[in-house]
Amino acid sequence: MRKTLSPFATLALIIAGSLTIAGCAGGKSKGDLPYVARDVGTLYSAAKTRLDQNRYQEAAALFDEVERQHPYSIWARRAQLMGAFAYYLNADYAKSIESAQRFLSVHPGNRDAPYAYYLIALGYYEQISDVTRDQRITQQALDALGELQRRYPQTKFAADARLKTDLVRDHLAGKEMQVGRFYEERGDWLAASMRFRHVVEDYQTTTHVPEALMRLTETYLALGVPEEAKKTAAVLGANYPGTDWYERAYKLMGEYKPRPVEKAGL
């Protein structure tokens, strides 16, 4: 199972982002709007009421209806993003991502664009599965979180994205470790060593590095390259001296006996 932030912290950030939109929707009284806009306002208000009542599926459908019936109204733009939010709360992440992406395709420079990118990233993030399954969604989550940080690094959404990025990278490293252990159990030492090296070199800040270094020491010994194993164990000892992984690597190095060199027959 993947690690995640407190749902209350995540939800607080989402709601904070949506308040601007909801506040704009209430900026004008219904009497100030033209007749058509008043109808749109009624529809939008009905959607917002469903959202406040935690009837997320109905709210999302009504927000979509605002966009469908009145595509050129300012309410349609608000409804797109609020619909994406409602789909997210209803755990319909594919539709949430689709709605947020549609908003960005039509309004790329809108002031609420950071929130749309955040919803896209959250939609992928919430679909991350355990390390025994395909990790394409995990990579999509990492890409979406990175895009948000690149475009809007100073926003509160980017701050949360940075925390989630660390968790996603740890998850991807865990997948590499799982595959590496599989190869190791089969005695495919070269394939295993490549996976463990990938963790050490590309996921240096994750929690899996100490184990990866120990298993890399193990695979190097199995491959008959003790000097590489010694260097790897030294790195492990220098950076993680008090861990069980270092104790295991130290024991492996102490027990290692070089293979006798076979002399060629005359």
Side-chain angles (χ1 to χ4, degrees):
M1 296 294 291
R2 64 182 174 83
K3 294 182 283 187
T4 185
L5 298 179
S6 163
F8 298 103
T10 300
L11 186 58
L13 281 169
I14 298 170
I15 293 174
S18 66
L19 285 177
T20 301
I21 304 166
C24 290
K28 290 186 178 182
S29 66
K30 293 181 181 178
D32 294 333
L33 297 173
Y35 178 79
V36 174
R38 186 163 55 245
D39 287 343
V40 175
T42 300
L43 189 57
Y44 186 97
S45 295
K48 185 64 169 60
T49 297
R50 301 298 192 284
L51 188 67
D52 293 340
Q53 294 171 342
N54 300 332
R55 296 158 65 179
Y56 304 130
Q57 186 173 357
E58 295 176 34
L62 285 168
F63 283 126
D64 284 349
E65 192 67 10
V66 171
E67 183 186 357
R68 186 183 72 83
Q69 290 187 20
H70 308 279
Y72 303 110
S73 167
I74 188 174
W75 295 80
R77 183 176 70 243
R78 299 167 186 164
Q80 276 184 332
L81 210 49
M82 290 301 286
F85 178 52
Y87 280 125
Y88 171 80
L89 292 179
N90 197 48
D92 192 341
Y93 303 122
K95 285 189 176 179
S96 177
I97 292 169
E98 180 184 346
S99 295
Q101 288 175 334
R102 188 168 65 252
F103 174 87
L104 289 170
S105 68
V106 180
H107 313 288
N110 188 270
R111 65 178 181 178
D112 292 313
Y115 181 61
Y117 278 104
Y118 184 60
L119 280 176
I120 292 170
L122 284 181
Y124 287 123
Y125 181 83
E126 296 294 350
Q127 296 181 75
I128 294 175
S129 58
D130 63 75
V131 295
T132 63
R133 300 185 180 183
D134 184 83
Q135 296 301 303
R136 278 177 292 185
I137 285 287
T138 309
Q139 186 60 53
Q140 287 176 302
L142 186 63
D143 293 343
L145 290 165
E147 181 75 0
L148 171 59
Q149 294 172 72
R150 185 181 68 81
R151 288 177 177 271
Y152 306 101
Q154 303 305 319
T155 63
K156 58 181 175 289
F157 305 119
D160 187 49
R162 281 189 283 274
L163 295 175
K164 284 181 168 57
T165 294
D166 290 340
L167 298 177
V168 173
R169 286 178 56 79
D170 200 82
H171 192 84
L172 288 171
K175 176 62 177 181
E176 290 297 307
M177 292 300 299
Q178 188 258 340
V179 175
R181 291 188 210 100
F182 170 77
Y183 284 131
E184 194 174 29
E185 289 169 2
R186 294 179 57 188
D188 192 342
W189 304 109
L190 182 59
S193 69
M194 291 175 66
R195 295 289 180 164
F196 299 140
R197 281 186 60 187
H198 182 40
V199 172
V200 172
E201 293 174 358
D202 297 330
Y203 298 101
Q204 297 177 7
T205 60
T206 68
T207 60
H208 298 280
V209 172
E211 181 186 355
L213 286 167
M214 188 285 295
R215 295 196 180 278
L216 198 53
T217 301
E218 190 173 40
T219 56
Y220 281 148
L221 290 176
L223 288 168
V225 282
E227 286 304 314
E228 291 299 319
K230 184 178 180 181
K231 292 177 185 177
T232 303
V235 172
L236 177 56
N239 291 278
Y240 308 96
T243 62
D244 291 339
W245 300 118
Y246 174 65
E247 295 298 327
R248 289 177 62 174
Y250 184 82
K251 184 179 179 181
L252 284 172
M253 292 302 302
E255 294 175 347
Y256 176 72
K257 293 181 175 56
R259 298 172 185 172
V261 179
E262 296 182 3
K263 295 182 179 180
L266 297 176

